[in-house]
Amino acid sequence: MAGFTEMDVDTIWQNGEYVDWEDATTHVLTHGLHYGTGVFEGVRAYDTEEGTAVFRWEEHLDRFFESTKPYDMEIPYSREELTEATMETIRRNDLDSAYVRPIAYYGYHSLGVAPGDCPTDVAIAAWPWGTYLGEDALENGIKAMVSSWRKHSSSQIPTNAKTTGLYVNSLLAGEEARRNGYKEAIVLNKEGNVAEGPGENIFLVRDGEIFTPGLSESILDGITRNTVIELARERGYTVHDNVSISRGELNTADELFFTGSAAEVTPIRQVDNVEIGNGSRGPVTEELQTAFFDLVERRTDDHEEWFTYV
């Protein structure tokens, strides 16, 4: 994964102003740095024949604002201001395609656990970012391991809010997998059922039908997840999107794949030491993956309402 110093990007929107990349800083005693009190989004903009298009921006913006609610955080900018800031940041960095990162967090004022009078700082950055799990992964799939780290329960910390501090859980699971020679982890919830990946939702294909854990299984309500469910149903598949999936069902699946704004649609060819299906990208995964990329790269006119053009 390329570092920022290797990228040709020079502008970030921060608290209402466009600032030079290297000047987009915050104090070391910022509340969000110490306690993980921030919310964020990961959004992709795609290079299409009609120009650069941000995919499902409105839905990401919905979740961005909704994620603040458990933390009593007020974003001091309107949806319209954040939209214009995002589009202008992409333009100023001259990006045809981009990964976009809006973030809001409790800023610098005091350092009790209660944020008190800490301001809500907001920033939006955009940079070029290729395939999250590697180009080869899209075609040939990845090897994943079931992590020994469990996903926290929604009775402990809200799982439907995309909170910065919670990704320590994801880091632990992902790094454990990589240390053991796998590309990514699969995380179980506290009941021992399948939840998701560290930064992805997971889908299982069995006997031509599609299954994905429900929102009560301690998962994030993924926007790419919802996209793939819709694309699958449009193609006549039966999709069960509110189920519990046991760990053992992973081993006997015909196909498995991850979805996410970063991961897009990535096949899983092996879980632990068990080959999934025939050990390569399965036909259902391939069909949905093709449908997804045809959609986001605008090789079809379907779902025009999901695109905001820069």
Side-chain angles (χ1 to χ4, degrees):
M1 193 179 295
F4 289 122
T5 56
E6 302 163 46
M7 298 179 187
D8 186 20
V9 283
D10 53 25
T11 302
I12 288 177
W13 183 88
Q14 185 179 30
N15 291 328
E17 298 181 356
Y18 298 96
V19 300
D20 288 343
W21 189 278
E22 60 270 21
D23 295 333
T25 57
T26 190
H27 198 282
V28 294
L29 296 182
T30 293
H31 194 278
L33 175 62
H34 290 255
Y35 303 121
T37 49
V39 300
F40 71 101
E41 282 298 316
V43 192
R44 278 198 186 265
Y46 289 91
D47 184 11
T48 79
E49 289 183 1
E50 301 165 53
T52 303
V54 183
F55 183 56
R56 303 200 73 169
W57 171 249
E58 295 297 333
E59 289 86 346
H60 281 283
L61 206 51
D62 287 342
R63 191 172 64 185
F64 190 51
F65 277 94
E66 288 166 3
S67 291
T68 66
K69 292 178 180 178
Y71 305 104
D72 200 25
M73 181 184 290
E74 292 282 339
I75 293 178
Y77 301 96
S78 68
R79 294 175 67 99
E80 292 73 23
E81 287 172 310
L82 294 180
T83 299
E84 174 52 33
T86 298
M87 303 307 152
E88 182 63 18
T89 299
I90 293 171
R91 287 192 287 264
R92 289 189 182 213
N93 286 302
D94 196 26
L95 295 167
D96 295 324
S97 62
Y99 184 82
V100 182
R101 170 56 56 88
I103 184 169
Y105 55 94
Y106 280 121
Y108 172 75
H109 178 268
S110 58
L111 213 51
V113 174
D117 293 328
C118 291
T120 299
D121 289 337
V122 186
I124 299 170
W127 63 88
W129 198 3
T131 307
Y132 181 58
L133 294 170
E135 291 289 343
D136 178 69
L138 291 177
E139 184 172 346
N140 296 317
I142 62 166
K143 296 195 299 180
M145 72 167 278
V146 176
S147 178
S148 66
W149 295 100
R150 293 289 178 92
K151 180 72 184 279
H152 57 83
S153 166
S154 59
S155 64
Q156 298 167 315
I157 307 172
T159 55
N160 60 337
K162 197 169 173 68
T163 308
T164 58
L166 304 191
Y167 279 76
V168 169
N169 186 218
S170 299
L171 179 146
L172 288 168
E175 289 305 293
E176 178 188 35
R178 284 179 278 278
R179 281 196 305 271
N180 283 282
Y182 296 87
K183 192 74 173 180
E184 191 57 294
I186 295 170
V187 185
L188 308 180
N189 60 25
K190 69 181 180 65
E191 289 79 23
N193 294 321
V194 176
E196 56 189 358
E200 310 90 359
N201 293 114
I202 191 168
F203 285 78
L204 178 151
V205 181
R206 186 172 58 228
D207 297 331
E209 297 189 0
I210 299 170
F211 303 81
T212 191
L215 299 183
S216 62
E217 298 296 310
S218 298
I219 70 163
L220 184 71
D221 189 5
I223 291 165
T224 309
R225 172 186 183 272
N226 294 336
T227 301
V228 168
I229 289 169
E230 178 113 358
L231 293 176
R233 286 176 173 157
E234 287 173 357
R235 280 151 186 79
Y237 288 102
T238 299
V239 183
H240 307 272
D241 63 352
N242 193 27
V243 296
S244 295
I245 296 175
S246 69
R247 177 176 181 169
E249 288 178 87
L250 296 173
N251 297 336
T252 57
D254 297 331
E255 303 177 38
L256 294 171
F257 60 91
F258 279 136
T259 65
S261 293
E264 297 165 306
V265 181
T266 300
I268 301 168
R269 72 172 188 268
Q270 182 178 322
V271 174
D272 297 329
N273 62 346
V274 178
E275 190 176 87
I276 305 304
N278 61 6
S280 62
R281 177 178 58 186
V284 176
T285 305
E286 183 173 6
E287 181 181 355
L288 295 176
Q289 187 187 65
T290 299
F292 177 80
F293 283 111
D294 283 348
L295 175 76
V296 297
E297 293 167 6
R298 303 315 288 136
R299 291 191 287 268
T300 168
D301 294 330
D302 294 348
H303 295 292
E304 184 68 18
E305 73 278 6
W306 284 349
F307 295 87
T308 304
Y309 289 91
V310 175

